[in-house]
Amino acid sequence: MKNIEQHDYAGRVDNPEIKERLHQVISQWDSSTPSGAPVFIGFRSEEGVKRNKGRRGAFDGPVVVRQKLASMPYEKPVFDYGSILGDHDLEASQTALGQSVAAVLSNNQFPLIIGGGHETLYGHYLGVRQAFPDKKLAVVNFDAHFDLRDEQPSSGTMFHQILSDDPDIDYYVFGIQESGNTASLFRTADRFGVRYALMNEVRNTDVYTRVLEELKEYDAVFATLCMDSVQQSVAPGTSAPAQNGYTACEIHDMVAQLAKLENLTSFDISEVAPALDIDDRTSSLAASLFHSFMTERETFQ
Ligand SMILES: N=CN[C@@H](CCC(=O)O)C(=O)O
């Protein structure tokens, strides 16, 4: 089992009588916290990025994204599980994340997972599958990359790992960049029946709206957002930045629509690498996306 680090939240207080910012309403998670609430879980890991020969820095993502969230307006109950402290044993770190996600899901709460390299998604998946062993699942990925490499587990292999082992899951990915994926990866996507939309299709067609309707038919859906799906000028602090990625407006809109999907179980935002960031753009954007998600999701108490 990996160590779990707890986080202190601090921020601006306008009027001590009124709790209206996230740091004033967030509490530490335990198994008696109420059902229906959002629960932050951090995954401090960059071992997957290291193995994928990417640019490192995501280990501190969960710390800095929480700092950005702290002063945002929020008045409803919200909880923090802490962060799994990952290390070179990526597989054990992902297993620990999976156990944490499953514990929160089995309390009927909603995990909001703060990565970590995009290897976060594999731990996220392990938790969802543990909580829903017999369900037909869909995973939605906002990403420039397929992450379908057939190699030692890393931040570039998670969907190959999942689709190779689990026949009861469909993979949808939005924002694929032709400049970021080889022909072999496109062939692998076709072989696994991946439903993918290139960035231009996302921008110029109604594919996302149509897929959101399709997703309602699954027993459960979980989602992941790699910050490298956003254009580098807006999100510079990532391992493998994209030039033609989402604008801040586009990705906020997509996340707001996702939040309305009733059978969505959990959501992670990964690949915030503070050491590579400029003026905290990437961490601030990730926090803003979590905030949009939380305010749009009607079932949060
Ligand atoms: N979605 C993220 N993927 C990887 C890069 C994928 C690749 O190398 O093809 C990452 O950021 O580490």
Side-chain angles (χ1 to χ4, degrees), residues 35 41 85 87 121 130 167 196 212 251 296:
S35 61
I41 305 174
L85 279 175
D87 56 24
L121 178 271
Q130 188 178 325
Y196 66 84
L212 284 172
I251 196 66
E296 293 293 334

Side-chain angles (χ1 to χ4, degrees), residues 48-49 52 54 118-119 141 143-147 149 155-156 158 180-181 185 226 228 238-240 271:
V49 175
N52 199 31
H118 208 191
E119 65 265 28
N141 183 19
D143 206 330
H145 305 100
F146 282 117
D147 295 339
R149 293 179 197 281
S155 62
M158 306 82 68
N181 299 275
L185 288 169
C226 183
D228 72 22
T238 68
S239 164
E271 276 295 343

Side-chain angles (χ1 to χ4, degrees), residues 1 4 29-35 39 41 81 84 95-111 123-124 126-132:
M1 193 65 196
I4 297 188
W29 180 88
D30 65 41
S31 54
S32 67
T33 49
S35 61
V39 180
I41 305 174
Y81 185 98
I84 287 84
T95 298
L97 174 59
Q99 287 165 348
S100 306
V101 169
V104 170
L105 285 172
S106 57
N107 262 13
N108 295 314
Q109 295 152 336
F110 194 101
H124 181 178
L126 291 176
V128 174
R129 186 42 97 199
Q130 188 178 325
F132 303 109

Side-chain angles (χ1 to χ4, degrees), residues 39-296:
V39 180
F40 287 111
I41 305 174
F43 188 55
R44 299 196 65 184
S45 170
E46 57 185 35
E47 175 65 21
V49 175
K50 179 179 163 201
R51 291 186 189 180
N52 199 31
K53 304 179 184 66
R55 307 194 309 159
R56 291 159 65 180
F59 186 78
D60 289 330
V63 175
V64 181
V65 173
R66 280 180 170 97
Q67 289 167 358
K68 300 295 173 192
L69 279 162
S71 285
M72 289 188 168
Y74 200 73
E75 297 180 6
K76 296 176 185 168
V78 53
F79 298 89
D80 195 305
Y81 185 98
S83 287
I84 287 84
L85 279 175
D87 56 24
H88 65 280
D89 188 350
L90 175 61
E91 292 76 4
S93 306
Q94 290 167 320
T95 298
L97 174 59
Q99 287 165 348
S100 306
V101 169
V104 170
L105 285 172
S106 57
N107 262 13
N108 295 314
Q109 295 152 336
F110 194 101
L112 289 173
I113 303 154
I114 314 171
H118 208 191
E119 65 265 28
T120 302
L121 178 271
Y122 190 70
H124 181 178
Y125 157 76
L126 291 176
V128 174
R129 186 42 97 199
Q130 188 178 325
F132 303 109
D134 305 317
K135 302 281 191 196
K136 176 71 181 171
L137 300 177
V139 55
V140 176
N141 183 19
F142 302 96
D143 206 330
H145 305 100
F146 282 117
D147 295 339
L148 279 169
R149 293 179 197 281
D150 183 11
E151 295 170 353
Q152 179 195 32
S154 76
S155 62
T157 61
M158 306 82 68
F159 295 98
H160 196 285
Q161 294 172 259
I162 294 169
L163 296 171
S164 300
D165 290 345
D166 190 335
D168 256 344
I169 186 163
D170 291 332
Y171 173 28
Y172 294 81
V173 53
F174 297 94
I176 287 292
Q177 299 284 342
E178 287 173 292
S179 59
N181 299 275
T182 59
S184 303
L185 288 169
F186 277 93
R187 279 195 293 275
T188 306
D190 289 338
R191 181 161 58 81
F192 278 119
V194 176
R195 277 82 146 178
Y196 66 84
L198 301 172
M199 179 54 77
N200 286 341
E201 287 178 77
V202 177
R203 287 203 170 111
N204 299 318
T205 73
D206 64 352
V207 61
Y208 186 58
T209 314
R210 280 190 282 110
V211 168
L212 284 172
E213 281 303 308
E214 209 174 307
L215 290 170
K216 292 178 182 167
E217 304 305 318
Y218 288 86
D219 296 327
V221 180
F222 62 106
T224 178
L225 193 165
C226 183
M227 288 299 287
D228 72 22
S229 65
V230 180
Q231 55 190 235
Q232 186 176 17
S233 56
V234 178
T238 68
S239 164
Q243 307 310 317
N244 185 30
Y246 294 113
T247 64
C249 180
E250 286 168 338
I251 196 66
H252 274 92
D253 187 48
M254 292 180 84
V255 165
Q257 290 184 65
L258 178 79
K260 298 195 186 302
L261 191 64
E262 283 179 24
N263 55 349
L264 190 75
T265 62
S266 44
F267 179 41
D268 77 68
I269 299 183
S270 296
E271 276 295 343
V272 174
L276 304 171
D277 212 353
I278 299 172
D279 198 22
D280 295 350
R281 287 179 207 171
T282 316
S283 52
S284 299
L285 178 60
S288 175
L289 290 167
F290 273 128
H291 183 261
S292 291
F293 184 91
M294 292 163 76
T295 52
E296 293 293 334

